[in-house]
Amino acid sequence: GQQLNQSPQSMFIQEGEDVSMNCTSSSIFNTWLWYKQDPGEGPVLLIALYKAGELTSNGRLTAQFGITRKDSFLNISASIPSDVGIYFCFGSGGSNYKLTFGKGTLLTVNP
Amino acid sequence: DGGITQSPKYLFRKEGQNVTLSCEQNLNHDAMYWYRQDPGQGLRLIYYSQIVNDFQKGDIAEGYSVSREKKESFPLTVTSAQKNPTAFYLCASSVTGGSNYGYTFGSGTRLTVV
């Protein structure tokens, strides 16, 4: 199936640093969704974006829906140890039930 | 509270055995999905169902089977034909009419072949 290009694949940072990750696609999407997966658990929705250019925050997290509708980024500010996990981007064209998603960014935060 | 429940959390299977993973949701979602997750490979779609009594193969359906007799339930059977079944399995559901609101995921089942 189709996948998004998500980068970086992994990141090792120190506590307190800011983090940025992004997803790009050759397809246009109506919706971008960012999920976080804790080790051994299922992904949980962090932020949903529904409009090109939209910038949305959820605490220390900020995500943007690219103007071209083919990309999105997620920023985490002042990282803490509990930010550790895999972050996935999901794109939806809205016309079917299936989401397209990236392979994930594995984030490790060193205390 | 509404949610999606997978059981068991951990499952061990002997080679040659079939095992069934349970997935139940009380979110009144029409669509349900099964994904397999291996390290470094992201999520791969096994099967999905948009309505009761109907389901479609995903990208890696070989060696797996599903049923959708009730809206709330979408069990996955890993058959002996699946050559490398050790993985983390995730079930998800979504609302009717598209996936713009995203999926709700279960907490996963880790299957190990011993």
Side-chain angles (χ1 to χ4, degrees), chain B residues 47-66:
Chain B
Y47 270 98
Y48 66 101
S49 168
Q50 296 180 1
I51 57 172
V52 175
N53 293 322
D54 184 58
F55 49 83
Q56 308 295 328
K57 291 183 178 180
D59 302 315
I60 56 165
E62 185 175 353
Y64 300 97
S65 66
V66 294

Side-chain angles (χ1 to χ4, degrees), chain B residues 50-93:
Chain B
Q50 296 180 1
I51 57 172
V52 175
N53 293 322
D54 184 58
F55 49 83
Q56 308 295 328
K57 291 183 178 180
D59 302 315
I60 56 165
E62 185 175 353
Y64 300 97
S65 66
V66 294
S67 63
R68 188 85 187 276
E69 298 177 359
K70 299 186 301 181
K71 186 176 184 178
E72 300 81 13
S73 179
F74 191 41
L76 173 74
T77 297
V78 184
T79 75
S80 57
Q82 170 50 238
K83 299 305 179 186
N84 184 22
T86 295
F88 190 56
Y89 290 87
L90 285 164
C91 180
S93 66

Side-chain angles (χ1 to χ4, degrees), chain A residues 23-100:
Chain A
C23 279
T24 60
S25 172
S26 57
S27 302
I28 290 175
F29 291 116
N30 296 329
T31 300
W32 284 94
L33 306 161
W34 285 92
Y35 282 74
K36 182 196 176 193
Q37 183 180 27
D38 289 328
E41 297 294 328
V44 174
L45 182 64
L46 297 174
I47 292 179
L49 302 159
Y50 297 107
K51 185 178 178 181
E54 179 182 357
L55 185 71
T56 298
S57 294
N58 178 6
R60 294 178 296 105
L61 278 61
T62 301
Q64 184 159 29
F65 193 141
I67 288 291
T68 64
R69 296 169 62 193
K70 294 183 178 182
D71 63 338
S72 177
F73 72 75
L74 175 71
N75 287 342
I76 305 173
S77 63
S79 60
I80 58 178
S82 62
D83 290 334
V84 165
I86 303 175
Y87 291 79
F88 289 99
C89 61
F90 285 66
S92 171
S95 60
N96 59 48
Y97 287 81
K98 292 191 292 179
L99 291 174
T100 305

Side-chain angles (χ1 to χ4, degrees), chain B residues 4-77:
Chain B
I4 183 165
T5 301
Q6 289 186 242
S7 62
K9 182 67 175 176
Y10 300 95
L11 186 57
F12 297 89
R13 190 195 92 170
K14 293 182 179 179
E15 288 196 22
Q17 283 184 338
N18 294 351
V19 290
T20 298
L21 283 58
S22 170
C23 180
E24 303 276 337
Q25 54 98 0
N26 60 2
L27 298 165
N28 200 32
H29 286 173
D30 282 301
M32 297 186 74
Y33 315 81
W34 275 104
Y35 286 90
R36 171 179 172 143
Q37 186 175 26
D38 296 285
Q41 295 204 38
L43 303 175
R44 293 186 290 170
L45 182 63
I46 304 172
Y47 270 98
Y48 66 101
S49 168
Q50 296 180 1
I51 57 172
V52 175
N53 293 322
D54 184 58
F55 49 83
Q56 308 295 328
K57 291 183 178 180
D59 302 315
I60 56 165
E62 185 175 353
Y64 300 97
S65 66
V66 294
S67 63
R68 188 85 187 276
E69 298 177 359
K70 299 186 301 181
K71 186 176 184 178
E72 300 81 13
S73 179
F74 191 41
L76 173 74
T77 297

